[in-house]
Amino acid sequence: MKQRFRVGGMSCAACSAHVEKSVSAVPGVSEVQVNLLAGSMAVQYDETVCDAQKIIHAVESGGYTAAADDGKQQAAPVQDPKANDELREMKTRIVVSAVFLIILMVFSMGPMLGLPLPAFVSGTENAFALALVQFLLTLPIVFINRKYYINGFKTLLHRAPTMDALIAVGSGAALVYGVYALFQIGYACAAGDMHTVHTYAHDLYFESAGMILTLVTLGKFFEVRAKRKTGEAIAALMDLRPQTANVLRGGQEVSVPIEEVCVGDLVVVRGGQSVPVDGEITEGNAFLDESAITGESMPVEKHTGDAVIGATVSKSGYFVMKAARVGDDTTLSQIIRLVEEAGASKAPIAKLADKVAGVFVPVVMGIALLTAIVWLMYGETPSFALTRAIAVLVISCPCALGLATPVAIMVGTGVGAKNGVLFQSAEALENLHNVNSVILDKTGTVTQGRPVVTDVKSFGVEPDDLLSLALSIEAKSDHPLADAVVRYARERRVRERTATDFEMVEGQGVRARIDGVPCMAGNRRMLLANGLALSRSAQQMGEALAAAGKTPLYFAANRQVVGIFAVADVLKPTSRAAVEALQRLNIEVTLLTGDNQATARSIAGELGVRDVVAEVLPQDKERVVREKQEQGRKVAMIGDGINDAPALARADVGIAIGAGTDVAISSADVVLMKSDLMDAVDAIRLSRRTMRNIRQNLFWAFFYNCIGIPIAAGVLWLPLHIGLSPMIGAAAMSLSSVCVVSNALRLKFFQSTPKPAVEPDQYFVLPKEEAKMKKVIKIEGMMCEHCVAHVKKALEVFPGVAVEVDLKSGTATLQGDVIPDEAKLTEAVEQAGYKVVGFA
């Protein structure tokens, strides 16, 4: 069983590492993922061995709070009301701390800056009064920031020190030493030992304790504000959820909370309203804005029987839908869960940082203790040694180290979701940046996945007449190629005529009578079976279309070929640009398809892909991926998430194009919600940008500690007399965390790859082709339609010639590339029993 928990009290990577370690030790727990930023934890455990209460107890025994997530608590910090309360409380602490700190600094450092002090605290004789005033001004700062002491010492007692422990020990040591100095001043004043009074009056460190607490709180305030922005992608998705739905119950339309919608309910959606859940339209139609889910900018027309997705918006229209998926099962909920889980999961590089952060705090405390001992052994005063030790403790807080990776990952996955790219895990986000070979499935990935009309050629008829004929005869067919022709013709709003005597001929095509005229549509076998001849140009065109990987469909009316339609599964508008962009990223691109070599080579030529693997079965695609990996390549497989599942699983990174379908989400590491190959380019670019950002964060976090700790310990004191006061250390520590978070937030400025402009209609109709030669024969003796048939049959013996015989005018019209000479035509007509009286 997998369950989510809310965890309170975590403030740094050491906290999350300790929680993870504590829960992992519980019998029955197999996997733990702690999200420091969201204050959440996902636990996979065996219900027969463990339960939620044992997990909560393990967290609480570590010094933190925990509660089972009921699913209603939103995970993003930006959405958590408690987080807002915490932010307001931090503002109050900062204001109070700053006010008392400013007054404290006036009393402690005013004389150095030439500021006059009240008479009752001026001079060595009043040093005790001055020290007491500083102590009293420090107490409100300590009291209002007492949570550092409570949390810090609690983690020390549990032998799992955190960042709060460093702050508590550092500022507490300064405070305790100040109190010690206060008593020494009192004793010295009573004894008249003004030298001792003067010495301790300059070593109070009350201002250091106040400054540490104030600056750390200020730094954490900016840090929390910055981290809140990392949840904006999830928050924006959550805002899409409508709060109510209009449901038909008992014949009445009632408004109910979205949580009460059940599978099978009939839901009413009007123009301007959001679709509350996933389902299918049972009545009506509308234009839906699906940009929030698929990224499609144009509204999509939906009719009865079409699926609709929750959180899309009806721009116009009215429809009734049947709820199919509600609550956590909706597409939007799955997307939110994916983004959250990706942010909570750990990439390999993050696990390294966590291990370092987990042991960092006790190591630093050991360094601080060693620093004090070494300086005391060297002969320095206890005050000097304590100052160095406190500086080491304060400057070494592992906040920057702990935030370096999770903040960047959360921002990266959030930016990806905003751009329609869903990363299933942080590991997928990291692995993608190493990819140097991409294998593309053809159908549905680089192509549209359905046949469309690409070319139309008419012979001797107007294009609109040809389209009308094609629509009328193919509208009764259920063949996918017929669907392409019908869809194409209807887009051009041509007239559909009456079709009778419709008949499908297996393996050839269809035939029917259109307004009483015998017509047919099909492949070349159908023409040959019915004794119809193709002109030389029509034959050449059909061969050229077939060679280009297209399927030619021939249309005939009254035994004359009147046009050719070319149908193919064409490239998506952005596929070629995406391949070029991948190649610019130095990624090898391979086209993988089950189609024949000719079609595969044709598509590859259009894409600009050299490496083509054709005629493979779905189960063989996994083998191709494995062969690439054996060559030392890091492979990303891009497919539709269904028949490519084995290859997606085998690849280093599986990328599914599936517009958020269940199969796509479950079978791949990355899901492209817009079904656009260009988004795969953005996924790789975003992965590389995120990993570069993480490396920058880790470098500066490690660099900061490697430089700061030795300086704080005093390595520059002997040669250069350069030291680092605890106040400066506190400021530097806070600044480092803010810098790391701010650097990660730069990922929010990631720009997707510009997509090529697409013409509204990328297909075309060629004008009708007039015959190269035409001849009209004037004939006497034709008395009826039988005579017409005899004359036509006599003239159709000549190949490549189209014949039309008109009884009323007594003429026969011949069209073709080559027309026989008049003597042969006359001989043919006269042998049929009629007389030729002239030619035109």
Side-chain angles (χ1 to χ4, degrees):
M1 176 181 178
K2 189 169 187 178
Q3 187 172 358
R4 289 175 61 87
F5 297 84
R6 298 190 302 276
V7 180
M10 296 188 298
S11 58
C12 67
C15 298
S16 60
H18 181 61
V19 170
E20 197 167 303
K21 184 178 179 181
S22 300
V23 176
S24 297
V26 176
V29 172
S30 57
E31 182 182 350
V32 183
Q33 290 182 343
V34 179
N35 190 332
L36 171 64
L37 299 179
S40 66
M41 173 178 67
V43 183
Q44 186 84 37
Y45 63 91
D46 184 349
E47 293 178 88
T48 62
V49 180
C50 177
D51 59 27
Q53 285 305 316
K54 290 182 180 179
I55 294 171
I56 292 173
H57 177 70
V59 175
E60 291 176 343
S61 65
Y64 306 91
T65 62
D69 195 333
D70 58 8
K72 296 179 181 179
Q73 180 74 25
Q74 294 168 332
V78 70
Q79 290 290 314
D80 191 351
K82 292 184 179 179
N84 292 330
D85 292 341
E86 181 185 1
L87 207 61
R88 284 192 292 270
E89 187 257 345
M90 288 181 72
K91 287 181 182 178
T92 302
R93 283 164 50 198
I94 290 169
V95 171
V96 173
S97 298
V99 169
F100 281 95
L101 180 64
I102 291 171
I103 301 172
L104 174 62
M105 296 300 290
V106 170
F107 278 93
S108 62
M109 296 187 174
M112 300 179 194
L113 302 175
L115 297 177
L117 293 178
F120 74 94
V121 293
S122 298
T124 305
E125 65 278 8
N126 293 319
F128 182 80
L130 179 61
L132 184 61
V133 168
Q134 292 183 38
F135 174 63
L136 294 176
L137 288 171
T138 305
L139 286 179
I141 302 175
V142 172
F143 178 77
I144 203 167
N145 293 292
R146 63 190 179 279
K147 64 180 298 182
Y148 294 120
Y149 297 99
I150 296 172
N151 295 337
F153 289 117
K154 185 186 293 184
T155 59
L156 276 175
L157 291 174
H158 287 95
R159 291 180 295 177
T162 63
M163 168 188 146
D164 285 349
L166 295 182
I167 296 171
V169 172
S171 62
L175 185 65
V176 169
Y177 183 81
V179 172
Y180 169 77
L182 179 64
F183 278 101
Q184 289 295 331
I185 293 172
Y187 291 139
C189 283
D193 185 357
M194 290 297 109
H195 175 72
T196 301
V197 170
H198 185 270
T199 300
Y200 278 103
H202 287 83
D203 288 333
L204 289 174
Y205 292 114
F206 288 125
E207 77 280 1
S208 292
M211 183 71 78
I212 289 170
L213 294 172
T214 304
L215 288 178
V216 167
T217 303
L218 183 64
K220 287 184 71 66
F221 172 76
F222 287 122
E223 179 186 309
V224 170
R225 280 189 59 185
K227 286 193 293 185
R228 279 162 56 92
K229 295 183 180 180
T230 66
E232 286 180 356
I234 300 175
L237 290 171
M238 289 176 172
D239 288 341
L240 296 173
R241 287 173 167 165
Q243 300 302 309
T244 60
N246 297 323
V247 180
L248 293 177
R249 288 182 178 168
Q252 298 292 321
E253 183 178 328
V254 294
S255 180
V256 300
I258 191 71
E259 295 83 6
E260 296 181 12
V261 179
C262 303
V263 174
D265 277 348
L266 294 178
V267 181
V268 177
V269 180
R270 294 179 174 83
Q273 294 181 339
S274 294
V275 178
V277 294
D278 295 1
E280 181 180 304
I281 295 178
T282 60
E283 176 190 338
N285 57 77
F287 283 90
L288 294 187
D289 178 1
E290 298 183 336
S291 57
I293 303 296
T294 66
E296 173 60 51
S297 59
M298 296 297 292
V300 180
E301 189 173 6
K302 297 286 185 177
H303 302 280
T304 301
D306 289 342
V308 292
I309 303 173
T312 57
V313 180
S314 175
K315 305 301 288 186
S316 63
Y318 166 93
F319 64 88
V320 179
M321 59 173 285
K322 185 176 182 180
R325 294 190 296 182
V326 301
D328 290 341
D329 295 329
T330 63
T331 299
L332 178 63
S333 295
Q334 291 181 46
I335 294 172
I336 293 172
R337 187 161 58 251
L338 274 177
V339 176
E340 289 178 350
E341 289 178 355
S345 63
K346 288 184 172 61
I349 194 171
K351 293 174 183 176
L352 171 64
D354 280 354
K355 289 179 180 178
V356 173
V359 298
F360 190 79
V361 175
V363 168
V364 166
M365 296 186 75
I367 293 174
L369 180 61
L370 183 63
T371 298
I373 293 172
V374 169
W375 282 115
L376 287 172
M377 291 176 63
Y378 189 75
E380 290 290 344
T381 64
S383 171
F384 182 88
L386 182 62
T387 301
R388 302 281 74 80
I390 292 173
V392 169
L393 288 172
V394 172
I395 202 170
S396 303
C397 289
C399 248
L401 181 62
L403 292 172
T405 302
V407 175
I409 287 176
M410 196 159 193
V411 175
T413 54
V415 169
K418 182 180 178 182
N419 287 277
V421 178
L422 296 183
F423 293 96
Q424 294 272 36
S425 65
E427 189 170 1
L429 180 62
E430 177 174 346
N431 289 342
L432 194 56
H433 91 285
N434 287 320
V435 164
N436 53 22
S437 179
V438 167
I439 297 178
L440 302 174
D441 173 53
K442 182 183 79 71
T443 305
T445 300
V446 299
T447 66
Q448 295 193 4
R450 65 174 187 176
V452 296
V453 174
T454 60
D455 308 88
V456 179
K457 183 76 171 181
S458 60
F459 298 96
V461 297
E462 293 297 329
D464 282 353
D465 292 337
L466 173 61
L467 292 177
S468 177
L469 182 153
L471 171 61
S472 304
I473 193 171
E474 294 285 25
K476 292 183 175 294
S477 174
D478 58 2
H479 195 280
L481 299 185
D483 288 342
V485 173
V486 170
R487 189 168 57 248
Y488 180 83
R490 282 181 173 160
E491 286 174 356
R492 282 143 188 83
R493 304 185 182 279
V494 297
R495 182 170 65 92
E496 182 175 350
R497 292 180 276 172
T498 304
T500 58
D501 301 332
F502 178 83
E503 179 186 2
M504 292 189 66
V505 182
E506 188 69 29
Q508 296 183 14
V510 296
R511 55 188 171 205
R513 286 185 174 272
I514 308 299
D515 291 342
V517 178
C519 301
M520 65 180 66
N523 53 31
R524 192 171 179 185
R525 287 197 302 273
M526 189 165 202
L527 300 183
L528 295 174
N530 288 273
L532 273 65
L534 281 172
S535 67
R536 186 179 305 166
S537 62
Q539 186 173 339
Q540 291 175 344
M541 173 170 284
E543 292 172 352
L545 292 172
K550 302 175 182 180
T551 302
L553 297 177
Y554 301 91
F555 288 81
N558 206 18
R559 297 190 59 78
Q560 296 296 317
V561 176
V562 294
I564 300 178
F565 279 62
V567 180
D569 183 9
V570 300
L571 292 179
K572 292 179 179 177
T574 59
S575 291
R576 181 177 177 85
V579 168
E580 292 174 349
L582 288 171
Q583 291 170 340
R584 286 196 298 271
L585 293 174
N586 296 318
I587 294 174
E588 174 194 73
V589 181
T590 301
L591 181 65
L592 186 64
T593 177
D595 278 349
N596 58 63
Q597 288 286 352
T599 301
R601 292 290 175 188
S602 174
I603 292 293
E606 292 183 62
L607 283 172
V609 174
R610 296 178 182 176
D611 189 11
V612 183
V613 182
E615 299 178 0
V616 294
L617 298 174
Q619 57 267 33
D620 294 330
K621 293 182 178 180
E622 184 269 345
R623 173 181 53 80
V624 176
V625 173
R626 188 172 65 252
E627 289 174 353
K628 290 280 185 184
Q629 291 173 326
E630 289 171 353
Q631 297 170 11
R633 314 289 294 184
K634 292 292 184 181
V635 180
M637 172 70 193
I638 307 179
D640 60 14
I642 302 173
N643 61 343
D644 300 313
L648 288 169
R650 163 62 65 177
D652 295 285
V653 181
I655 302 177
I657 291 189
T661 62
D662 289 338
V663 177
I665 288 177
S666 63
S667 64
D669 302 304
V670 182
V671 181
L672 307 182
M673 293 296 294
K674 303 177 191 174
S675 297
D676 190 335
L677 192 60
M678 190 65 82
D679 289 340
V681 179
D682 287 341
I684 294 172
R685 289 180 53 240
L686 180 58
S687 172
R688 292 183 177 182
R689 183 82 61 84
T690 302
M691 292 310 300
R692 184 164 66 246
N693 192 283
I694 289 173
R695 290 193 186 99
Q696 290 170 352
N697 286 348
L698 288 175
F699 169 79
W700 286 113
F702 279 113
F703 178 79
Y704 158 81
N705 282 294
C706 290
I707 298 298
I709 291 176
I711 295 176
V715 295
L716 299 181
W717 180 257
L718 292 178
L720 302 174
H721 268 67
I722 294 177
L724 194 66
S725 74
M727 289 183 291
I728 301 299
M733 182 275 293
S734 299
L735 185 61
S736 69
S737 298
V738 175
C739 288
V740 164
V741 175
S742 300
N743 185 49
L745 290 175
R746 290 192 306 116
L747 289 169
K748 294 176 73 70
F749 299 106
F750 175 84
Q751 296 292 324
S752 58
T753 306
K755 293 178 173 57
V758 180
E759 295 297 327
D761 184 2
Q762 56 182 319
Y763 311 119
F764 55 91
V765 177
L766 298 177
K768 67 178 181 180
E769 179 185 82
E770 299 293 346
K772 294 180 180 178
M773 299 184 68
K774 181 178 180 180
K775 189 175 286 291
V776 178
I777 310 172
K778 296 179 181 179
I779 303 172
E780 286 185 354
M782 293 189 297
M783 304 296 293
C784 64
E785 289 297 332
H786 290 289
C787 299
V788 170
H790 291 155
V791 171
K792 185 169 184 167
K793 184 176 181 181
L795 292 173
E796 283 182 341
V797 298
F798 300 106
V801 174
V803 181
E804 289 289 336
V805 180
D806 185 71
L807 176 62
K808 185 176 181 180
S809 62
T811 60
T813 302
L814 285 75
Q815 292 182 328
D817 294 330
V818 178
I819 301 295
D821 59 34
E822 294 179 359
K824 290 183 178 181
L825 294 175
T826 300
E827 181 182 359
V829 172
E830 289 180 348
Q831 284 183 355
Y834 304 92
K835 183 180 180 181
V836 176
V837 296
F839 292 90

